[in-house]
Amino acid sequence: MTRAASRRQLLRSFSFASLASAVPLFRPGASLPGSTAPLLGAPPADGPGPMVRPHQGRLRRTLGVSVVEGMFSEVFTACAGATVLTAWAIALKLGPFLVGVMTALPFFAQFVQFPAAWLTGLFGHRCVALTAVCLSRVVMFPLAVLPWLGLPFESQQRLLLTVAGVSAALSVVGNNAWVAWMGELVPRAVRGRFFGRRTALTTLAGTLASLGAGLLMDRLRPADGVGVALPLLALGACVMGIVTTLFMASQHDPAPPGTTPPLELKGALVPFKDGNARRVLTYQVAWNAAVGVSAPFFALHSLQNLEMTFVIMALHAASVAGVRILAAPLWGRAIDRCGAQPVLMACSLGIAAIPALWLLPSAGTLCPLLFDVLLAGALWSGHGLAIFELPLTVAPRKNRPFYLAAFATAGGLAYTAAAALGGAIAAALPTQFTLGGHVWVNLHVLFVLSSVARLGAALLTARIPEPGAHPVRSVRALLSRLLPRPIPAHRAALDD
C-alpha cells in the first residue's frame, strides 16, 4: 500500500470508526470520548456533494467552527452522558430494570429516524438541526434544579426518565438533520481529512471533559442523595447546549429548504423486501439484543460492585478510546484487503468474550480490566468500521436513507427490548449469591448471557452477503483469509 493510500485509510478510519449506523459502538453504557457518534448515519463517501459551492473562505470558516462545536459537544456528553445518568440513577435509587430502560433510551429513540428524515426534508437541514439539537441539550435544566423543586421521591425518578427520553428522541432528530447538513456542506474531496481531524480533536476534548466531570463527582459526591455535583453537571450541559447552538448557527447551509428531494413513503418498505438487506437486519437485531442485555449495566457494576471512582472510570474510557484510534487504521487496511464481512465476523466472535472478562475483577482487583481495554478498544474499532461498510454496500444509492433508517430502527428497538429484559432479570435475582464456592452478583448472570448471545449472533455473519467481495462462511475460512499466508518454498527460492 502506498504512503498516500495509507494516509487516506488512516483518515477514513478516524472519521468512520465512530460514524457507523445505529449499531452501538464499543460498549454502550460507558461514555467513551469521541464515541458519541457525531454521525449515526454518516454521509456516504460516494454521496452527493454540496448543491451550491460556497466561497472557499466561507467554507473554511464554517468547517473550522464545526470542529470547535464538536469539541464543546463532547463537553456536553461528559456532563450528561451514560456514566453521569447512571450516577443520577444510583442517587435516585432506580432499580436495575429502570437503569436498563434509561440507558437504552438513546437506542429506543431510533424509531423516530423516519419522521426525522421527513422533518429534515420539509423544513431544511439547518433549521431542524439547530432546533432539535438545542432542545435536546437544554432539556437537562430540570435536573439542574431538581433538589430545590420539592418533588416526592417517585416524581424525581419519573422526571429523570422523562428528561433522558425527551433528550434522546430530540438528539435523533437533530442528528438526522445534522448528517444531511454536513453531507451537503463538506466537499466530498476533503470529507476524510475533515472528519478525521474533527474526530481526533473531539476525542481529546471528550477525554479531558470526562476526567474533569469524574473529579467533580468524586470530590462532591455525597454518601446518599443527589448532592451538588450532579445538578452542576446538568447546568453545565445546558450551558454547553446554548454554546454549541450558537456555533452551529454561525455555519451556513448550501441546501436551503425546498432544494431537498421529497421522500416517498413507499420507499420505507423497500429494505424489508430486499433479501440481502434482511440478512443484515437479522444480524443487527440479534447483535444489538445480545449487546443490550448487558451493556447498560457495566457502569452500574463499576460503581456499585467494583467500587470504582468516576476518575478511574474516565481513565478506563479514555484508554479504550486510545486503543480504538490506534487499531482503526489496521482494521481499515484489513477491510481493503479482505472485505468488511470477514472483519465483522472476526470482531463479533472476539467481542463475545468481553462480557465474560467482567467476571474476573473485584473491588480490590481491577487488573483484569486491562485486558478489557485492549480487547474492547481493538475489536469494537474493527466492528465499527465493518458495520459501517456493509450497510452501504448492501443499500442501493436511490433508497439508501431508508435502508440506513431501517437498520438504525431495528437495531435500536432490539437493544432497548434486551436492556429492559436484562434489567428485569437482574431485579428478579438476589443481589449476591454463592455458586461453586464463589460469591457472584446478579449482573454477572447478564454478562454470561450476553457472551453466549453475542457468540450466536456472531455466527449469523456467515450469512451476510457483501456485493463485490467474497464473504467467508466458516471460522476456518476466516482464519485463512485474515492470517498471513506462508510463502511456498519454491517461491521463496525464486525470490532468493
Side-chain angles (χ1 to χ4, degrees), residues 10 25 32 36 42 105 234 308 347 356 371 374 376 402 463:
L10 174 63
L25 296 182
L32 299 183
T36 51
L105 286 174
M308 293 171 61
C347 292
F371 297 100
L374 296 175
F402 287 113
R463 301 177 61 250

Side-chain angles (χ1 to χ4, degrees), residues 338-358:
C338 307
Q341 188 265 352
V343 171
L344 182 65
M345 177 183 284
C347 292
S348 298
L349 290 171
I351 290 170
I354 292 179
L357 284 176
W358 283 76

Side-chain angles (χ1 to χ4, degrees), residues 376-403:
L379 295 177
W380 278 115
S381 177
H383 189 279
L385 279 170
I387 202 60
F388 175 77
E389 293 281 351
L390 272 178
L392 292 182
T393 59
V394 171
R397 187 170 184 177
K398 179 181 178 182
N399 292 307
R400 184 170 288 164
F402 287 113
Y403 275 73

Side-chain angles (χ1 to χ4, degrees), residues 114 118 261-270 398-399 402:
F114 289 107
W118 177 78
L263 297 176
E264 298 180 1
L265 184 60
K266 62 181 181 181
L269 302 177
V270 172
K398 179 181 178 182
N399 292 307
F402 287 113

Side-chain angles (χ1 to χ4, degrees), residues 413-438:
L413 294 179
Y415 179 95
T416 305
L421 176 62
I425 293 174
L429 293 173
T431 304
Q432 288 188 348
F433 59 93
T434 302
L435 181 65
H438 295 280

Side-chain angles (χ1 to χ4, degrees), residues 203-425:
T203 299
L204 176 61
T207 300
L208 296 176
S210 297
L211 289 173
L215 283 171
L216 180 66
M217 287 190 287
D218 283 338
R219 290 289 181 87
L220 302 180
R221 183 183 181 185
D224 190 33
V226 172
V228 178
L230 293 177
L232 281 177
L233 289 174
L235 182 61
C238 296
V239 172
M240 288 302 103
I242 296 173
V243 170
T244 53
T245 302
L246 292 176
F247 278 118
M248 291 175 65
S250 65
Q251 304 171 50
H252 69 281
D253 184 5
T259 59
T260 305
L263 297 176
E264 298 180 1
L265 184 60
K266 62 181 181 181
L269 302 177
V270 172
F272 303 97
K273 300 178 181 179
D274 186 331
N276 289 339
R278 282 202 303 270
R279 293 183 179 183
V280 177
L281 279 169
T282 301
Y283 169 77
Q284 295 267 48
V285 170
W287 180 255
N288 277 24
V291 172
V293 75
S294 66
F297 306 102
F298 285 104
L300 182 65
H301 181 62
S302 299
L303 291 170
Q304 285 191 336
N305 301 319
L306 301 184
E307 300 177 2
M308 293 171 61
T309 66
F310 288 102
V311 171
I312 293 178
M313 292 178 65
L315 289 172
H316 176 266
S319 301
V320 174
V323 174
R324 165 174 58 95
I325 292 174
L326 294 175
L330 303 177
W331 286 116
R333 286 194 287 270
I335 289 174
D336 285 342
R337 186 179 76 250
C338 307
Q341 188 265 352
V343 171
L344 182 65
M345 177 183 284
C347 292
S348 298
L349 290 171
I351 290 170
I354 292 179
L357 284 176
W358 283 76
L359 302 178
L360 304 178
S362 61
T365 309
L366 299 179
C367 294
L369 292 183
L370 293 176
F371 297 100
D372 174 78
V373 168
L374 296 175
L375 286 179
L379 295 177
W380 278 115
S381 177
H383 189 279
L385 279 170
I387 202 60
F388 175 77
E389 293 281 351
L390 272 178
L392 292 182
T393 59
V394 171
R397 187 170 184 177
K398 179 181 178 182
N399 292 307
R400 184 170 288 164
F402 287 113
Y403 275 73
L404 296 181
F407 295 145
T409 303
L413 294 179
Y415 179 95
T416 305
L421 176 62
I425 293 174

Side-chain angles (χ1 to χ4, degrees), residues 18-25 35-43 106-107 110 113 168 171-172 175-176 178-179 388 404 408:
S18 63
L19 309 186
S21 50
V23 175
L25 296 182
S35 69
T36 51
L39 296 175
L40 280 176
F107 300 94
Q110 296 299 322
Q113 283 278 0
S171 295
V172 172
N175 184 78
N176 185 287
W178 189 82
V179 167
F388 175 77
L404 296 181

